[in-house]
Amino acid sequence: MQAELAAVAHELITTVEPGFGFLTLRASCSGGGSSHRLTAGPSEQHVFSFWGLTSLRQVGLDRPAVFEMRVDADGTFEALVTRDVIQGTTMLPPTYTVLVTPRERPVRREVSSLAEVETAIGVTLPPEVHDLYAGRAEVDEDINLYSPDEVLLTWQMFVAMEDDDPWGWELPVLYAGPAGAVRAVRFHPRWVPIGSNDWGDTLCVDLAPGPRGRVGQVIQLSNEGPLTYLAASVAGLALPDSYPGTHGLADHFDVADRGPAGVAALPTTLQELTLREPGDLDFGLLARLTSLRRLTVVRGGSVRLGALAHLPLERVEASGYEIELPVCDTLAAVVVDGAFVDLPALPGLRVLDASKAEVDVESLPRVDHLVLNAAQWRRCPVKPAAATLAGESSLARALVWAGERGVELPREMVRGRVPTA
């Protein structure tokens, strides 16, 4: 780790324009991939001109690493290195997330037949899937069929992603297809990946359909578009020439650009909506959007959403000086910002981010993922499965906070000095 971090420090010193005093690099690295944020000086000003760090590819290559590094103008560097914490660097200060109750990960095993896949996952695949793999049925030439081992490996990857990243818990996805045919979730453990299309989208046999679906139907998990229903089964499956986009499913706009009349005219097919700077908008205008599952209000004033209690809302994100939440049984995730919020009884709530709002911390409901600031955590008795600390710029203090939650993370200090020319 010493050599890898020294290479990173050297690249920073020789690439960033001089005059910065010191740099702070926050990075998360694993398997040759990384995410990072570079700031300059005590003001934490983002270094916008610095896009790439090729030396980061070697950090975390052998094992995942999360670190915060300070590099002074004379080449002296100091880095705190840890792992098993999600360091969110998209905003400053960053966020730090730990799994207080780690979930059991599937054990990697190699398989060579569909029967072994069924045993490993605990499912029974329809006969037409077995016919496909036995060569008794034709495969669309545009489908890249997975081997049994690739089926299991891909399934395990999706399961691990769902378990390990709390930021994706209860995050609604857009869905295109017959109403009620597919569960509109990011992934379900009874979705069995069998192949991909030429764009890398995953095709799954759905063994846990919605109330109007069919066991064995085929769905597509898209990298960019909506979750899509493809066919009733793999028998005779042919990929369409094009896939639905997000038109009519999602919309994002400044309310001033369209006015209340534009809001009132939104299509009832919308599943996701972002309203920016709504002013004194009557949010009752949204009551007709009977497919709306995710609502975001940015830089709002009086955000009164009580009239939307009948909608199938799953996630509400709202900022404003006054926020009234809708009492929806379906509401699973709430993010509030900028006001005192009296949380109503929400039986389905699993994710709560109140780090930028005033709430009664001492009587918060029990949720799976809780996001609070340092002052709120000191008063909060709730122990969620996943906890996030917001508003803290120091990884060292974040590790102390994690320890107070019962999560002891490893730490290593790496120091050195690299030539400046």
Side-chain angles (χ1 to χ4, degrees):
M1 187 62 70
Q2 168 75 33
E4 290 86 349
L5 292 178
V8 173
H10 183 264
E11 183 176 357
L12 290 174
I13 286 293
T14 56
T15 306
V16 177
E17 294 184 5
F20 52 77
F22 68 87
L23 301 171
T24 301
L25 175 67
R26 299 177 177 89
S28 301
C29 308
S30 178
S34 67
S35 62
H36 68 275
R37 188 72 174 257
L38 182 66
T39 58
S43 64
E44 295 261 325
Q45 181 179 357
H46 180 43
V47 182
F48 291 100
S49 61
F50 195 79
W51 295 104
L53 265 177
T54 57
S55 55
L56 275 181
R57 296 172 185 169
Q58 298 302 313
V59 182
L61 200 57
D62 297 329
R63 59 184 175 89
V66 175
F67 68 89
E68 179 181 297
M69 169 188 280
R70 170 174 168 146
V71 182
D72 292 317
D74 64 358
T76 301
F77 70 89
E78 179 178 86
L80 172 60
V81 185
T82 185
R83 64 176 186 274
D84 299 330
V85 58
I86 300 173
Q87 183 178 236
T89 55
T90 55
M91 297 183 297
L92 292 175
T95 59
Y96 304 94
T97 303
V98 294
L99 292 175
V100 180
T101 308
R103 303 192 176 191
E104 184 177 350
R105 300 189 60 145
V107 178
R108 172 69 179 126
R109 56 178 290 190
E110 294 184 1
V111 298
S112 58
S113 69
L114 278 191
E116 291 178 295
V117 170
E118 291 175 317
T119 299
I121 298 178
V123 300
T124 299
L125 288 164
E128 56 265 28
V129 179
H130 285 273
D131 290 342
L132 193 67
Y133 274 81
R136 295 188 293 267
E138 294 185 359
V139 182
D140 188 318
E141 61 180 9
D142 294 326
I143 296 176
N144 306 306
L145 196 65
Y146 292 155
S147 68
D149 193 55
E150 290 172 327
V151 169
L152 183 57
L153 181 62
T154 306
W155 179 85
Q156 290 177 327
M157 178 192 70
F158 276 114
V159 169
M161 286 172 57
E162 287 301 292
D163 288 346
D164 291 348
D165 187 2
W167 287 102
W169 295 356
E170 302 305 326
L171 187 65
V173 298
L174 297 176
Y175 165 67
V182 180
R183 299 175 189 243
V185 295
R186 291 205 312 172
F187 188 75
H188 190 282
R190 292 178 65 85
W191 290 355
V192 182
I194 60 166
S196 63
N197 60 22
D198 290 339
W199 293 278
D201 301 322
T202 304
L203 309 181
C204 292
V205 175
D206 182 2
L207 304 180
R212 299 181 183 177
R214 175 187 182 276
V215 173
Q217 64 192 13
V218 184
I219 59 177
Q220 174 186 277
L221 281 58
S222 177
N223 295 321
E224 296 182 0
L227 168 68
T228 305
Y229 173 94
L230 293 182
S233 76
V234 300
L237 171 65
L239 297 185
D241 294 331
S242 62
Y243 293 100
T246 61
H247 180 70
L249 300 179
D251 205 347
H252 314 271
F253 59 91
D254 293 341
V255 173
D257 293 340
R258 301 189 192 180
V263 174
L266 291 170
T268 58
T269 55
L270 279 182
Q271 300 173 24
E272 179 180 311
L273 176 63
T274 299
L275 301 175
R276 294 185 290 266
E277 299 187 358
D280 58 355
L281 178 71
D282 176 8
F283 288 92
L285 295 173
L286 306 178
R288 52 187 289 277
L289 303 182
T290 53
S291 297
L292 191 63
R293 296 166 47 230
R294 179 175 182 177
L295 174 63
T296 302
V297 181
V298 181
R299 296 187 296 276
S302 178
V303 183
R304 304 187 65 82
L305 306 177
L308 309 183
H310 64 289
L311 298 184
L313 286 167
E314 298 173 18
R315 185 179 182 95
V316 169
E317 304 175 37
S319 63
Y321 61 77
E322 179 185 26
I323 299 175
E324 177 194 22
L325 293 171
V327 184
C328 303
D329 289 345
T330 55
L331 194 56
V334 168
V335 180
V336 285
D337 179 356
F340 175 80
V341 179
D342 186 10
L343 290 172
L346 299 170
L349 190 64
R350 291 189 60 224
V351 175
L352 174 62
D353 181 347
S355 59
K356 296 180 180 179
E358 293 182 44
V359 294
D360 185 0
V361 176
E362 287 80 4
S363 58
L364 287 179
R366 184 170 297 278
V367 294
D368 293 338
H369 181 199
L370 182 59
V371 184
L372 299 175
N373 60 46
Q376 291 170 326
W377 276 117
R378 284 193 287 270
R379 311 194 317 271
C380 179
V382 176
K383 185 177 181 180
T388 294
L389 173 64
E392 174 57 71
S393 61
S394 167
L395 177 58
R397 287 194 290 270
L399 296 187
V400 173
W401 162 84
E404 294 169 349
R405 313 270 84 71
V407 182
E408 294 297 335
L409 300 174
R411 64 182 67 196
E412 176 186 1
M413 291 299 302
V414 179
R415 299 179 176 86
R417 185 171 182 173
V418 296
T420 58

